[in-house]
Amino acid sequence: MKTAEIMANLAAKHPGENEYLQAVQEVLESIEEVYNQHPEFEKAKIVERMVEPDRIFTFRVTWVDDKGEVQTNLGYRIQFNSAIGPYKGGLRFHKAVVPSMLKFLGFEQTFKNALTTLPMGGAKGGSDFDPVGKSNDEIMRFCQAFMQELWQCIGPDQDIPAGDVGVGGREIGFLYGMYKKLAREYNTGVLTGKGATWGGSILRPEATGFGALYFTQHLLQTAGKDIVGKKVALSGFGNVAWGAATKAKELGAKVVAISGPDGVCEIPDGITDEMIDYMLDMRASNRNKVEDMATKFPGKAIFTPGKKAWSIPCDIALPCAFQNELSEDDAKELQANGCWCCCEVSNMGCQPGAIHYFQNNGILFAPGKAVNAGGVATSGLEMTQNASHISWSAKEVDDKLHFIMQSIHEQCVKYGTQPDGHIDYVKGANIAGFMKVATAMLEQGII
Ligand code: GLU
């Protein structure tokens, strides 16, 4: 494979789309060796086809804010790859959303979904709508306007969106309500992350964080370590961080930091159940300020403005917020403060320099597409329940999630174990996902 040539072509076709190019580069670097052992992939130009989305929808979303002023945003849905199933992936509402961000996320999603063992292709969508400071009514009006365009692109056997940053259960409710009204289709399987009484799966809200901790447990066990009593620093306080904090505490770890765009809250005695519950209120408030935790729990949560979670001494770092949130300097600071493991929960949460630093300095590291796949896997379980008009108990869903995370870990070990015995989880996850998607593409001909 001519990685440099493919990257140069891609950069020329998608100028300035740095996040997208970064995600592709990371995958190509790690699959190169395996790819070269399969001339049939080269002949069918699998990589050249795989790095481009199947199609992109872009649309204008116009809505009226609480002051009566007309607002216009951009909406997108990127259907990236359908080799192993219908398009599947979340919607991100964030002011920084641009096509490059959604392309990187759709590309990652394709590999992640392949790892889940379930038949789901990759997609991503969203808008540059900024939920910060918006009222509930404004969120509803925006979601309805967004769905007025999106509904024509999606369907339960075609493309199934879900949540991501800025899109949780509330937004999925508003989106689903409008979908039904427009499409006159009452198939709940068109969106996942729904409410438990109208087709949602029990444990879907917790699934990304729970799955991440199950994966972390397997990784630690394989390395001969145990999570009990370990200090965990995590970033963010949204749905993913909430699930991760809940499961980390349940497994006996001590969550000593959470963070937000405004700074970090250190929690020296470990996060409590009340604090974990309060994370949900903080998200619902749309204020996007972690300082609120310190205001609510004075003396127990100590806020420092402008600092990241990576400045707090810990054993295990769990980035749970946004892409590129952990830099090489952060990686160095973490190690200097005693951290020896980083499981990336956010999509592409670590910058390439940070990943290389971890890998070259003996710090256990696993990438987001493996660690956070429990979220979309449980979306897949939600689709199965919807298609068969049943609903599983929490135990049934949790057992299946656990099994899937174990299987993802096994795939990483299978494809990532190096001649010297150490496990390269980045290679393992990328090669395992790639082999599945590439083989399916090959078998389906040149399309
Ligand atoms: N946004 C989540 C992810 O990055 C979940 C996607 C889904 O459930 O479809 O995997």
Side-chain angles (χ1 to χ4, degrees):
M1 178 171 54
K2 302 177 188 80
T3 303
E5 203 178 293
I6 295 171
M7 286 311 302
N9 280 337
L10 205 65
K13 273 196 262 179
H14 306 273
E17 302 207 334
N18 295 336
E19 288 148 333
Y20 174 41
L21 298 170
Q22 178 188 336
V24 174
Q25 172 89 37
E26 183 207 290
V27 170
L28 296 196
E29 268 172 17
S30 51
I31 62 163
E32 193 161 2
E33 207 180 307
V34 171
Y35 191 82
N36 289 337
Q37 292 158 8
H38 291 269
E40 68 278 18
F41 290 160
E42 179 77 45
K43 189 160 178 282
K45 293 276 184 286
I46 292 291
V47 160
E48 286 84 344
R49 289 158 59 198
M50 193 186 264
V51 298
E52 293 286 358
D54 287 356
R55 64 190 67 81
I56 301 179
F57 299 101
T58 306
F59 43 89
R60 172 173 55 76
V61 184
T62 295
W63 56 285
V64 180
D65 70 16
D66 284 350
K67 291 193 224 95
E69 273 175 34
V70 176
Q71 300 287 346
T72 292
N73 289 99
L74 284 177
Y76 308 92
R77 185 69 180 167
I78 300 194
Q79 296 181 337
F80 216 100
N81 188 297
S82 65
I84 64 167
Y87 301 104
K88 179 81 195 93
L91 297 170
R92 178 173 288 193
F93 292 170
H94 190 279
K95 62 178 185 220
V97 162
V98 285
S100 169
M101 193 192 290
L102 299 179
K103 278 190 220 166
F104 114 66
L105 288 163
F107 181 74
E108 290 279 295
Q109 197 81 42
T110 302
F111 293 90
K112 179 195 320 195
N113 293 4
L115 291 173
T116 63
T117 74
L118 304 173
M120 299 184 289
K124 205 81 187 193
S127 173
D128 59 357
F129 170 74
D130 181 7
V132 177
K134 300 293 187 298
S135 71
N136 202 51
D137 285 349
E138 288 176 322
I139 301 265
M140 181 177 76
R141 286 198 294 275
F142 175 78
C143 288
Q144 292 177 336
F146 183 83
M147 187 51 86
Q148 271 175 4
E149 284 290 331
L150 183 71
W151 77 277
Q152 311 229 36
C153 316
I154 62 174
D157 296 313
Q158 186 185 357
D159 182 352
I160 304 95
D164 194 79
V165 174
V167 179
R170 167 182 53 183
E171 290 76 13
I172 293 294
F174 296 146
L175 290 164
Y176 182 63
M178 192 45 121
Y179 175 83
K180 278 195 308 184
K181 200 172 167 67
L182 293 165
R184 302 212 179 175
E185 291 276 356
Y186 304 93
N187 190 323
T188 50
V190 67
L191 291 168
T192 59
K194 299 179 291 295
T197 57
W198 43 279
S201 176
I202 293 177
L203 280 192
R204 175 62 188 92
E206 292 87 344
T208 309
F210 279 23
L213 267 294
Y214 295 152
F215 188 96
T216 305
Q217 254 190 325
H218 285 295
L219 177 141
L220 295 183
Q221 266 161 22
T222 308
K225 297 184 186 286
D226 187 2
I227 197 166
V228 177
K230 301 299 180 305
K231 282 189 270 175
V232 172
L234 54 85
S235 58
F237 55 84
N239 172 263
V240 173
W242 164 78
T246 307
K247 190 51 85 177
K249 180 170 182 289
E250 198 183 303
L251 296 176
K254 190 168 157 186
V255 177
V256 293
I258 62 169
S259 68
D262 52 332
V264 64
C265 268
E266 184 173 4
I267 310 168
D269 296 333
I271 205 161
T272 62
D273 291 337
E274 294 72 32
M275 290 177 183
I276 291 173
D277 286 346
Y278 190 63
M279 286 166 89
L280 294 178
D281 295 348
M282 284 160 64
R283 198 233 159 219
S285 77
N286 292 337
R287 280 170 48 79
N288 212 16
K289 285 197 184 332
V290 80
E291 185 177 7
D292 293 354
M293 183 64 86
T295 311
K296 176 85 178 168
F297 298 95
K300 299 243 157 45
I302 301 137
F303 177 68
T304 311
K307 283 273 181 195
K308 294 186 185 179
W310 323 131
S311 61
I312 308 296
C314 67
D315 298 292
I316 300 168
L318 299 179
C320 294
F322 217 59
Q323 69 266 11
N324 290 327
E325 56 174 307
L326 199 156
S327 68
E328 185 172 346
D329 284 346
D330 295 328
K332 289 179 183 162
E333 187 173 9
L334 276 167
Q335 191 190 30
N337 283 333
C339 173
W340 46 266
C341 173
C342 172
C343 284
E344 189 183 59
V345 192
S346 43
N347 291 309
M348 210 167 76
C350 295
Q351 295 177 16
I355 298 177
H356 294 146
Y357 185 83
F358 287 143
Q359 290 177 326
N360 296 334
N361 289 278
I363 295 172
L364 294 166
F365 175 77
K369 60 171 81 67
V371 178
N372 75 28
V376 72
T378 307
S379 278
L381 301 177
E382 184 170 331
M383 287 160 65
T384 307
Q385 294 169 76
N386 294 159
S388 41
H389 305 282
I390 52 166
S391 127
W392 290 325
S393 67
K395 181 170 180 338
E396 280 172 296
V397 179
D398 198 35
D399 286 351
K400 287 182 171 61
L401 171 62
H402 216 137
F403 177 79
I404 289 170
M405 296 317 295
Q406 184 179 340
S407 148
I408 296 173
H409 184 265
E410 278 165 10
Q411 295 174 66
C412 291
V413 173
K414 177 174 168 197
Y415 288 101
T417 303
Q418 300 303 294
D420 67 359
H422 100 273
I423 303 161
D424 183 333
Y425 282 88
V426 176
K427 262 194 172 170
N430 285 336
I431 296 173
F434 169 78
M435 286 305 287
K436 192 168 172 188
V437 178
T439 308
M441 286 176 72
L442 199 65
E443 288 170 3
Q444 291 167 31
I446 310 296
I447 50 166

